[in-house]
Amino acid sequence: MKKQYFLYLAVVSLLFSFFISCGSDDSDNYSEIPDESPVVFDITAVPYPKLSDYNFFEGEMKNLQPVKGVLPYDLNSSLFTDYALKKRFVWMPDNVTATYDTDGSILNFPAGAVLIKNFYYNNVQPDNSTKIIETRVLIKKEDGWIFANYIWNDEQTEATYSLNGNIVPISWEQDGVTLQTNYRIPSELECFKCHQLFEANTPIGPKPQNLNKNFNFNDGNSNQLQKWVEEGYLDGSNLPSEIVSTVDWHDETKPLEDRVRSYLDINCAHCHSPNTYCGYTPMNLAYSAGNASENFGICTPPLDFASGGQEYIIKAGDSRNSLLPFKMASLDPVEMMPQIGRTLKDDDAVQMINAWINDMETPCE
C-alpha cells in the first residue's frame, strides 16, 4: 500500500485529478480516490507544536488508533524505562522506502521517515486508568534525524512539543503490587547521549535483528519485515531469507546467553559499542558483535572507579563481585547504569544477569 505526503487541504483537488488520470490497480471506478494516508507532514515545517497536528491517530488520540499508513511495530526485546509500556509506529511518505544494510544495523531510512514511540502505564492509581506520559518522535530530514518529544496533558487529549524534559509522578499497580516513581522525560541533550552514533542522531531499535518477529496486525498475524516490504516501507530486494535475530529476554524457553545478549543489546549497546557515547569503555554489547568474553567485560578491569571494590566488570562465577550487575541494581545517580531512562531497577533483569555470571565455569585468574 502506497502512502502520500498530505500537506495542505488546498492541494486536495490536484491530488484528486492526478488519481483520476492514473487509475487504480484494484478498481476501474475512477470517481474515487484510492486509499492514501491522511497524515499531515511537511518536511520543511516539522516538528509541529502539537502531536495532533500530524494526524497520526484517528478518533480520540489517547486510544492510539493509527490512521491508514501509520504502521505499528514491536521489538523482540524492549528498553527498560521504569516499567513503562510502549506502542511504536512508523510512517513514510509515498514512493520512498528503507533499505537493508546488515542484521544488526539500523535500517537505512529515507528522508521523511517518522518513528513514533508512545510511553504509557496501565492501572494508574487511584482509578486504574491508562495514562500516556510522552510520545517520542524521530523524524528523518534531508540532513539527518531530529528529535521531537511530546508531553501529554493530564486530560489525555493533547501532547505538546518540548525538548526541555520533565518529571511526572506516577503510581500504578503491577502484578498485584502498587509501584510509584517520578518518571523522567528526557531533555534533548539526554536523548542525544543515547541516540548518537558517530556523533549524529540515530534511532536505536528498528534493526532487522529486532524487527524479525510476527506481529498481530489488523489484517492478520505476519512477520514484521515482510509486512514492511508489502507496505512499501522496506525494499526487500536484498533482504536475506535468514536473519540472526535477538530474542525476547523474558522468554525462559530461550538459551540464557541469548536472553542476556538481547537484553544488553537493547538496554546498553547504544552506549557501549564503537562510536557511541561510552564507546571508550572496554565493551561491545551489540548483539551482532558476538559472544566473545571481552565484549562483555568478562575478567576485564573497569576503566571507571568501582566504589564497591569490584576488580572486574564481570567476575566469572561471582556476580556479587562484578561491576555490571552492581550498576544495574544501583539507584545512585552517580553509580547506576544506565543513568538515563530509569529511576527504578529491573529486578528480573538483574536476577537473570546474576544467574548468567554465576553459571560461568572458568574463573578469572
Side-chain angles (χ1 to χ4, degrees):
M1 184 188 300
K2 290 294 185 180
K3 278 66 57 184
Q4 300 286 336
Y5 275 108
F6 195 85
L7 302 179
Y8 301 102
L9 292 178
V11 300
V12 169
S13 61
L14 293 176
L15 290 172
F16 182 78
S17 61
F18 171 81
F19 283 119
I20 288 178
S21 63
C22 292
S24 169
D25 292 337
D26 300 324
S27 173
D28 290 330
N29 183 355
Y30 299 111
S31 64
E32 297 181 3
I33 301 175
D35 290 341
E36 60 187 22
S37 175
V39 167
V40 177
F41 186 83
D42 179 350
I43 198 169
T44 66
V46 292
Y48 295 136
K50 302 187 302 296
L51 184 62
S52 62
D53 292 335
Y54 299 89
N55 199 38
F56 290 139
F57 307 108
E58 60 186 10
E60 290 188 83
M61 193 167 67
K62 67 179 182 179
N63 294 329
L64 301 180
Q65 292 298 316
V67 300
K68 189 176 298 295
V70 175
L71 189 67
Y73 72 94
D74 198 10
L75 306 179
N76 286 323
S77 283
S78 181
L79 176 72
F80 175 78
T81 46
D82 284 348
Y83 297 102
L85 304 173
K86 288 100 174 179
K87 285 188 178 181
R88 301 171 179 84
F89 303 89
V90 60
W91 179 85
M92 296 185 206
D94 191 30
N95 298 325
V96 297
T97 59
T99 57
Y100 169 89
D101 187 4
T102 69
D103 294 351
S105 301
I106 294 295
L107 293 172
N108 294 314
F109 286 93
V114 182
L115 301 173
I116 309 152
K117 186 177 181 182
N118 306 275
F119 293 72
Y120 70 100
Y121 289 87
N122 289 329
N123 304 315
V124 175
Q125 301 304 303
D127 55 356
N128 288 317
S129 60
T130 294
K131 182 173 183 178
I132 310 172
I133 304 293
E134 59 170 326
T135 297
R136 302 180 191 175
V137 180
L138 274 170
I139 302 170
K140 182 72 176 291
K141 290 209 171 190
E142 295 291 348
D143 56 352
W145 292 94
I146 65 166
F147 305 121
N149 280 17
Y150 293 85
I151 301 175
W152 284 72
N153 60 19
D154 290 337
E155 297 77 21
Q156 299 284 276
T157 57
E158 186 60 90
T160 304
Y161 174 78
S162 174
L163 292 178
N164 297 323
N166 201 3
I167 295 177
V168 180
I170 191 163
S171 174
W172 75 101
E173 188 173 302
Q174 181 172 302
D175 299 327
V177 178
T178 298
L179 302 175
Q180 59 184 11
T181 192
N182 290 320
Y183 180 95
R184 290 176 56 191
I185 298 174
S187 66
E188 182 178 20
L189 178 60
E190 290 174 318
C191 289
F192 179 65
K193 285 182 178 180
C194 291
H195 286 269
Q196 67 168 290
L197 185 64
F198 294 101
E199 299 185 352
N201 296 340
T202 184
I204 294 173
K207 304 172 183 178
Q209 67 175 25
N210 300 330
L211 294 169
N212 188 31
K213 61 174 291 187
N214 276 20
F215 187 89
N216 190 25
F217 298 96
N218 286 338
D219 57 353
N221 190 283
S222 62
N223 180 273
Q224 289 188 132
L225 291 172
Q226 185 58 43
K227 184 69 171 180
W228 284 40
V229 172
E230 293 172 359
E231 292 289 315
Y233 281 161
L234 178 61
D235 180 359
S237 61
N238 69 331
L239 189 67
S241 58
E242 298 291 335
I243 291 175
V244 179
S245 302
T246 56
V247 301
D248 179 358
W249 75 264
H250 293 96
D251 186 352
E252 296 183 2
T253 68
K254 303 296 184 182
L256 179 58
E257 184 174 281
D258 284 352
R259 294 170 57 212
V260 168
R261 290 176 58 199
S262 297
Y263 178 88
L264 294 176
D265 178 274
I266 196 65
N267 283 276
C268 311
H270 49 269
C271 281
H272 291 285
S273 57
N275 303 303
T276 60
Y277 183 70
C278 294
Y280 64 89
T281 58
M283 291 182 289
N284 185 353
L285 299 179
Y287 192 87
S288 58
N291 61 355
S293 60
E294 57 267 26
N295 287 338
F296 303 110
I298 298 174
C299 301
T300 302
L303 292 180
D304 300 326
F305 174 71
S307 63
Q310 295 86 0
E311 186 178 359
Y312 301 110
I313 297 173
I314 291 179
K315 186 174 183 180
D318 188 358
S319 65
R320 295 186 63 181
N321 289 304
S322 297
L323 186 61
L324 176 62
F326 170 80
K327 286 186 170 291
M328 287 177 58
S330 176
L331 297 181
D332 184 337
V334 177
E335 297 278 6
M336 62 191 289
M337 285 291 169
Q339 293 181 324
I340 299 171
R342 75 174 182 94
T343 62
L344 303 173
K345 70 173 180 175
D346 190 343
D347 289 313
D348 291 341
V350 172
Q351 182 179 355
M352 176 184 67
I353 295 293
N354 285 336
W356 172 62
I357 295 173
N358 290 332
D359 281 349
M360 295 178 183
E361 297 180 353
T362 305
C364 301
E365 296 181 356

